[in-house]
Each structure stands twice: as structure tokens, then as C-alpha cells.
Amino acid sequence: MTESTASLDRVCSLALGNCLFFFQFPYIVHLNVGGYHFTTSRSTLLKYDDSMLAVMFSGRHEIAKDEHGRYFIDRDGKYFRYIVNYLRSSQLPPECVALEVLREAEFFCLQILVELLEAVSPKVISLRRREHFRRLIPDYESIKTKIIGLATEKRSCFEQSKIALTQEGHPKLKGSIPCYNCTREFVSVNHFCAFEGIPSDLSLDIKKVGENLDIDRIVNFLVDELRHDGFSCNVEKIICKFSLRCQSCTLSGLYTAGGILAPRECPNVAHVITFFW
């Protein structure tokens, strides 16, 4: 008995109860899986000895029966047929049910099927990528929950809400700087950034994030996840552009044109997520 099989044996012992006898299963096995009825051979169920089905029907554990004598397994029978079909003929499930079959394959510890789905199923590959990305972002679920909560609170009669995400420690306009208009006088700047009138709702600390992820990739991933969850939303990148003129220019109404404006605009950036309700 391999180490993985022994571990499964312990799991089955806890679920099905320890036994003092070796149970004899018939060659033809009738199953009731969550109300769905299946008939297969015991050799099919034993095909992979490191799977939970092989351990369950090894004879070392007693399995409950329904009123008609079928062995009862409390799982979703709608997808169990794809498990049986794989055991019979190595047939992979159609893509439309790949995620559900993956869940069942993981439950039954059918690792060979799990690995095949991870290799060839676009839906499963996408799921694994999203899972990997989530692990790279500290407090990912908390951030996502906060965004949804803020968007719900801001929901208005216009049936949309905007959430501004900023990056902690991003450069912004502050301190004593030359007047953007004349450059002769210095202006003290201490302002709260606003992005087309929207203040920052949530500041993300991306220094904790690995693999050199920037805020653009993080926010785009969050928006993709929100869409995947059924939300209708998009994202727009907005620069604060706050700037001040000195008192002399303000009183005189003097405005100059040219390239001296942009360098003294606040460069702080927000990613504004718009939810459509």
C-alpha cells in the first residue's frame, strides 16, 4: 500500500467507519450517487489504486446502501458519469463541464484526471492562472470585497458607481514648487488628490506583491475577476493633474501657454472602476 493510498484509507475510515472484516463487493456494482444511478464493474472503480474510489471499494471499508441495495455516494451524480467514463475509456469531459468535473476529480483524488484537465482544458488553465495570481496579492479577497462594498454603497439613481484605486507611495505634487505659470514665485502645495472630481477610495500597497507586478496588472486582474463574477464594469486610468499658480499670476489673471504647465502638474494616478448596475 502506497503512502497516498494509506492516507486515503484513513480518510475513508473516518468517513465510512473502521471495519473488522474484509467486505466482498460483487463484480457488477450498482451505485446511487446523489440520486443518479450507475452500473459499472468493480475493476473500473479500482483502476487507479491511489484514488478514493479504489480505496472505498477495496473491501477494507463498508459502504452504506440505499433501500434498493445500491451503494450510496453523497456527491453530485450529474458530473459523476464523466468520472466513470474516464475510468472506463480515458475519455475527457466536454469543455462546458470541465470545472465541475475538476471539482469531482479532486474530491475522488483522481490525480491523473486533474493533471490532464490542467493541461488541456482552457477553463481549468484559466482557473489555475487566476488562483496563482490571487496568491501573489496579499489580502486579495479582502481588497475585492472592499471594492464591491464601496461600489454598492455608492450606487445611485444613475445606476452606476465609481471607485478610485490609488497606489500607496505613488509620487504626487507636494512641498514648495515653482508657480506652474510664471516659474518665478514658489507655491506651497499640500492637497488631496482628486481624479476628475473623484477622491481616492482605496490605496493599494503593491510593495508586498511578488513577481514585479505593477498596479496596472493588479487592477486589470481585479476587473477581470469582477466580470467573471458577473459584475458589469470597466476601468479607466486618470491622472490627478492638480496645479497651482502663484498669487501674482492669480491676481493679474496672467496665463502663459507652452510646455511649462505639465511638469508641475500632480502626477498621482488613479484607476477608476465604473460599475454599471
Side-chain angles (χ1 to χ4, degrees):
M1 185 184 297
T2 65
E3 185 178 343
S4 61
T5 305
S7 178
L8 279 173
D9 232 18
R10 289 191 292 271
V11 172
C12 287
S13 294
L14 291 172
L16 304 173
N18 291 308
C19 67
L20 299 175
F21 307 100
F22 191 85
F23 291 92
Q24 295 292 333
F25 289 97
Y27 177 76
I28 303 298
V29 179
H30 301 285
L31 302 173
N32 176 351
V33 184
Y36 288 75
H37 301 152
F38 299 89
T39 299
T40 187
S41 67
R42 181 169 175 259
S43 60
T44 296
L45 299 174
L46 299 179
K47 184 173 183 179
Y48 297 102
D49 60 7
D50 57 350
S51 73
M52 184 177 288
L53 287 169
V55 173
M56 290 171 66
F57 289 91
S58 64
R60 298 188 296 272
H61 306 279
E62 183 178 9
I63 301 177
K65 296 181 180 180
D66 66 12
E67 65 273 20
H68 300 291
R70 302 184 185 94
Y71 295 104
F72 179 73
I73 300 176
D74 192 13
R75 294 298 292 177
D76 192 336
K78 180 179 179 181
Y79 305 108
F80 185 76
R81 70 186 182 98
Y82 299 107
I83 299 294
V84 174
N85 285 341
Y86 180 77
L87 293 174
R88 285 169 175 159
S89 57
S90 300
Q91 178 184 341
L92 290 176
E95 182 64 14
C96 60
V97 295
L99 293 178
E100 290 80 3
V101 176
L102 173 71
R103 183 176 62 242
E104 297 305 303
E106 288 175 332
F107 176 81
F108 288 110
C109 303
L110 199 55
Q111 190 60 27
I112 187 170
L113 178 55
V114 171
E115 291 174 359
L116 276 171
L117 289 171
E118 289 174 340
V120 303
S121 166
K123 285 186 177 180
V124 174
I125 292 170
S126 175
L127 171 67
R128 291 298 190 239
R129 285 177 177 169
R130 291 200 307 273
E131 289 173 345
H132 174 70
F133 208 105
R134 290 188 200 112
R135 288 193 294 269
L136 296 177
I137 305 174
D139 304 322
Y140 168 79
E141 291 298 335
S142 174
I143 293 170
K144 183 177 168 184
T145 301
K146 284 179 183 177
I147 291 171
I148 295 171
L150 289 166
T152 304
E153 289 174 11
K154 286 188 168 187
R155 184 174 177 176
S156 67
C157 59
F158 298 106
E159 297 185 348
Q160 69 178 37
S161 49
K162 295 179 181 285
I163 305 300
L165 305 180
T166 52
Q167 177 182 333
E168 244 178 65
H170 192 281
K172 60 181 289 186
L173 199 64
K174 59 183 178 181
S176 183
I177 61 171
C179 164
Y180 83 74
N181 193 60
C182 69
T183 74
R184 292 188 301 272
E185 294 187 30
F186 280 75
V187 183
S188 292
V189 177
N190 184 18
H191 74 289
F192 291 99
C193 291
F195 307 90
E196 296 185 358
I198 305 170
S200 174
D201 294 292
L202 191 61
S203 183
L204 305 180
D205 183 4
I206 68 168
K207 292 179 182 177
K208 300 177 181 177
V209 179
E211 296 196 6
N212 299 318
L213 293 178
D214 57 28
I215 194 168
D216 291 337
R217 289 186 65 190
I218 292 172
V219 173
N220 286 334
F221 174 74
L222 281 165
V223 171
D224 284 343
E225 283 277 278
L226 290 166
R227 289 171 178 162
H228 184 268
D229 291 344
F231 290 96
S232 176
C233 57
N234 60 29
V235 62
E236 180 184 7
K237 193 172 179 178
I238 300 175
I239 301 174
C240 173
K241 291 187 177 181
F242 176 86
S243 57
L244 281 178
R245 288 177 291 129
C246 66
Q247 188 176 14
S248 299
C249 289
T250 302
L251 292 175
S252 66
L254 177 65
Y255 297 87
T256 60
I260 62 173
L261 171 62
R264 280 170 293 283
E265 290 178 340
C266 179
N268 200 7
V269 174
H271 291 74
V272 178
I273 302 176
T274 303
F275 286 78
F276 303 95
W277 303 101

